[in-house]
Amino acid sequence: MSPEAEERDLAEAYLGGLLASLGLSVEYVRAEKDTLYRLDEEGRERAVLDLVGGYGSTILGHNAPELVGYAKGLLDRGVPVHAQFSRHPYANDLALRIDAIVKRELGPAEEYAAIFANSGAEAVEIAMKHAELDRIMRLAELEAEIDAAAERALAAAAGGASLLADDTLRRLAAEAGLPAGAGTDEVADGIRRINAARTAAAPVFLAPEGSFHGKLVGSVQLTHNAGFRTPFGALAAQCRFVPVHEPDAVAKAVEAERRTLFALASDADGVRVVEHELPVIAAFVLEPVQGEAGIRPFDRETVRRIQDACAAADCPVIVDEVQSGMGRTGTFFAAAPLGLRGDYITLAKSLGGGLVKAALTLVRTSRYRKEFELVHSSTFAKDAFSTLIAGRTVDLLEADGGAVYRKAAERGAHLTAMLRGLQEEFPDVVREVRGRGLMIGLVFHDQSASASAPIAEQSRAGLLGYALSGYLLRVHDLRILPTASATDTLRLEPSVHLTDAETDRLEAGLRALLTLLRNQDGDALLPPAA
């Protein structure tokens, strides 16, 4: 590389500068299991214990030998990557295997159709798009039903049937501005005008406060963090964020969005005005364990309230398992212990085995619209290379009766016990340890009033978690990062290969960090000035 090129940085240079200021600007050259390697000043490899794990992408570790060997075999065979608009039997094989896991963990109610994608955010957007297509098609069916009923009612009125006065007719007349004693034809015209305005309204999505579902045009609107969402608010469907842990919050949120369409109906007594529920809410979207909000697991009671309210309103539920799924919490689906069976389920991250980009959107067959296959596509989705590796990843997770799931639960329990020991030792610094399996958050008390100017300043800027991460990397060769929307929380998402010795090494580094915070030693937190 020329000296001139070395001085220029066009690949997210601002972010690179921020990483450098926090001591996180490190190039890694090799990876295995839970270790990333970087080069020191003399060009020698230096091992870094990686607790980030690709934000949940490496449940089997970096460069899992079984997957690397399998990938090499695929490349040696010349497996095609670009064979779009052709038959993909390996994709169907993967869909069948995952559907069998759905039946085992969530119940055998019905099958799930599979739509392939490249990333978690894309999988979420597929669910959003499909839910909206389903809503629009249900709406079209309802409008056709209303039109057919209107024809029958108008014919009955022409034959002498009376228009029956009741509260529904009076509400329609007031809203449509109909004159007193309006006839059936005028009422029908008023219905058409009001319904046209109501059906033109944009759909809404519902999600819990703290949600994170990606940063694409659609998925970012499901992300509660206003800094990520509000600059792009005019570009996509809007989301209402619900304080779901309040007992009546979900039911109230659903009720607040309810709308109806007016219609005419006729029977032996005459013609009357009736109302039909208008599908307004496209879907309720949630993560079984909220990742970027600070590793917050859901409980069964909250999930029950959400499912009951959504079922009453015929509102589909999208379960985002992008970060929590693939065995990380001790079961393939983190939703399984909660009794949460979504109408849509999204998978990504560890689906690719830490090697490839692979994602999947599952759609309950009773909701599935075959027409979606003609209006949505993705160039790289469902290619043989990534899909076959995803299938091999599922095989490894399922091997030996789900040994990986048991190991994730056991390793997670061991890691959590160590962290809670530190919480007991440093209760003035550690506020909480929470999570499930190998998806754990270490939550710190607010440090914005610290007597140390560097600690207080980083805390008030929302960067303290990154500063703590920089210290752990620089001084202890530990790679940990905070969650995006709760930077007072350090996330730990290692693979199932995390050893007791590595956990002991992590404990020593964290103890040094907690001692630094307890002693308000902010000068040791940030890297030395250049």
Side-chain angles (χ1 to χ4, degrees):
M1 181 183 296
S2 68
E4 293 80 7
E6 289 181 357
E7 294 175 0
R8 302 174 65 219
D9 189 352
L10 301 181
E12 298 183 331
Y14 176 77
L15 179 59
L18 180 60
L19 291 174
S21 71
L22 295 167
L24 294 170
S25 183
V26 172
E27 178 187 359
Y28 297 101
V29 297
R30 190 166 66 88
E32 61 181 352
K33 291 188 176 178
D34 289 293
T35 302
L36 288 167
Y37 294 89
R38 59 172 171 162
L39 300 181
D40 64 15
E41 293 77 5
E42 285 75 38
R44 296 171 300 192
E45 282 191 341
R46 183 169 171 176
V48 174
L49 179 59
D50 179 27
L51 284 303
V52 178
Y55 302 113
S57 298
T58 58
I59 188 64
L60 297 175
H62 290 285
N63 291 321
E66 303 94 330
L67 293 176
V68 170
Y70 184 66
K72 287 178 179 178
L74 293 176
L75 294 173
D76 288 342
R77 284 163 41 196
V79 166
V81 173
H82 295 287
Q84 301 91 337
F85 216 67
S86 63
R87 186 168 174 266
H88 302 277
Y90 43 83
N92 192 58
D93 290 343
L94 176 59
L96 288 170
R97 273 178 277 176
I98 293 181
D99 186 67
I101 298 171
V102 172
K103 289 182 171 66
R104 184 187 73 223
E105 291 197 347
L106 301 174
E110 61 185 280
E111 292 183 331
Y112 281 74
I115 305 167
F116 287 74
N118 304 288
S119 70
E122 185 183 345
V124 169
E125 297 223 352
I126 287 171
M128 294 176 70
K129 282 181 65 177
H130 188 284
E132 174 59 3
L133 178 65
D134 177 51
R135 189 189 74 87
I136 288 296
M137 294 183 74
R138 284 187 286 134
L139 178 56
E141 293 161 2
L142 176 58
E143 289 180 302
E145 178 185 333
I146 289 173
D147 289 344
E151 289 185 14
R152 293 192 296 271
L154 290 171
S162 301
L163 180 62
L164 304 175
D166 58 15
D167 287 343
T168 307
L169 175 60
R170 283 187 282 274
R171 281 192 289 105
L172 168 69
E175 187 169 345
L178 299 178
T184 306
D185 286 340
E186 291 175 292
V187 169
D189 183 62
I191 287 174
R192 282 190 289 269
R193 286 186 284 109
I194 290 174
N195 286 356
R198 291 185 178 182
T199 57
V204 298
F205 289 83
L206 299 179
E209 291 181 346
S211 290
F212 181 95
H213 299 281
K215 296 179 183 177
L216 299 181
V217 168
S219 58
V220 76
Q221 292 308 315
L222 308 179
T223 294
H224 189 215
N225 187 321
F228 297 146
R229 172 172 44 86
T230 53
F232 313 103
L235 294 179
Q238 300 301 295
C239 183
R240 311 283 189 259
F241 295 98
V242 184
V244 293
H245 298 290
E246 297 176 11
D248 299 326
V250 179
K252 288 180 179 177
V254 170
E255 182 64 26
E257 300 299 333
R258 287 188 62 193
R259 302 291 185 274
T260 61
L261 295 181
F262 288 107
L264 288 174
S266 54
D267 55 27
D269 295 328
V271 175
R272 60 171 51 84
V273 178
V274 297
E275 291 180 276
H276 295 281
E277 196 80 17
L278 168 64
V280 175
I281 305 171
F284 193 107
V285 192
L286 77 155
E287 309 152 87
V289 181
Q290 290 186 312
E292 303 306 322
I295 316 298
R296 298 177 178 274
F298 269 79
D299 61 89
R300 289 185 67 92
E301 177 57 26
T302 301
V303 163
R304 184 195 62 77
R305 291 197 301 266
I306 291 170
Q307 291 189 121
D308 288 350
C310 289
D314 193 24
C315 167
V317 176
I318 299 173
V319 178
D320 182 348
E321 291 268 16
V322 166
Q323 191 169 167
S324 61
M326 303 298 297
R328 177 156 295 280
T329 63
T331 48
F332 188 94
F333 295 107
L338 301 173
L340 173 59
R341 185 184 177 99
D343 298 283
Y344 300 82
I345 305 171
T346 60
L347 292 168
K349 293 191 183 293
S350 279
L351 181 63
L355 288 184
V356 297
K357 300 176 179 68
L360 196 59
T361 302
L362 304 175
V363 187
R364 192 194 292 257
T365 50
S366 59
R367 288 273 181 188
Y368 189 64
R369 298 286 186 171
K370 64 182 185 298
E371 294 84 355
F372 189 79
E373 299 172 25
L374 304 178
V375 296
H376 178 86
S377 62
S378 177
T379 297
F380 286 92
K382 206 166 59 174
D383 72 274
F385 184 69
S386 61
T387 306
L388 285 167
I389 290 175
R392 183 66 179 135
T393 300
V394 172
D395 289 344
L396 292 173
L397 294 176
E398 289 283 290
D400 299 323
V404 167
Y405 313 139
R406 296 190 295 274
K407 194 171 183 181
E410 183 273 324
R411 290 287 79 194
H414 182 74
L415 183 55
T416 298
M418 180 274 286
L419 295 172
R420 288 190 171 142
L422 290 175
Q423 181 185 10
E424 292 177 5
E425 187 177 345
F426 296 89
D428 52 334
V429 181
V430 178
R431 179 161 62 90
E432 189 177 359
V433 175
R434 59 189 177 221
R436 281 173 47 199
L438 288 170
M439 190 173 179
I440 307 169
L442 179 66
V443 189
F444 291 80
H445 286 292
D446 179 28
Q447 300 291 324
S448 59
S450 172
S452 166
I455 293 175
E457 289 168 5
Q458 293 295 321
S459 182
R460 288 194 290 268
L463 294 173
L464 182 61
Y466 295 99
L468 302 181
S469 299
Y471 165 81
L472 289 170
L473 177 61
R474 185 178 74 255
V475 179
H476 299 281
D477 287 321
L478 297 171
R479 186 168 189 262
I480 306 175
L481 290 174
T483 58
S485 298
T487 56
D488 62 347
T489 304
L490 295 182
R491 79 172 81 215
L492 297 97
E493 298 188 34
S495 82
V496 293
H497 300 298
L498 186 71
T499 65
D500 287 351
E502 288 170 332
T503 303
D504 291 344
R505 177 181 161 193
L506 170 62
E507 180 178 13
L510 288 174
R511 180 173 284 107
L513 171 64
L514 298 174
T515 300
L516 179 154
L517 290 174
R518 171 178 281 175
N519 295 338
Q520 305 285 286
D521 186 6
D523 292 336
L525 185 63
L526 298 177

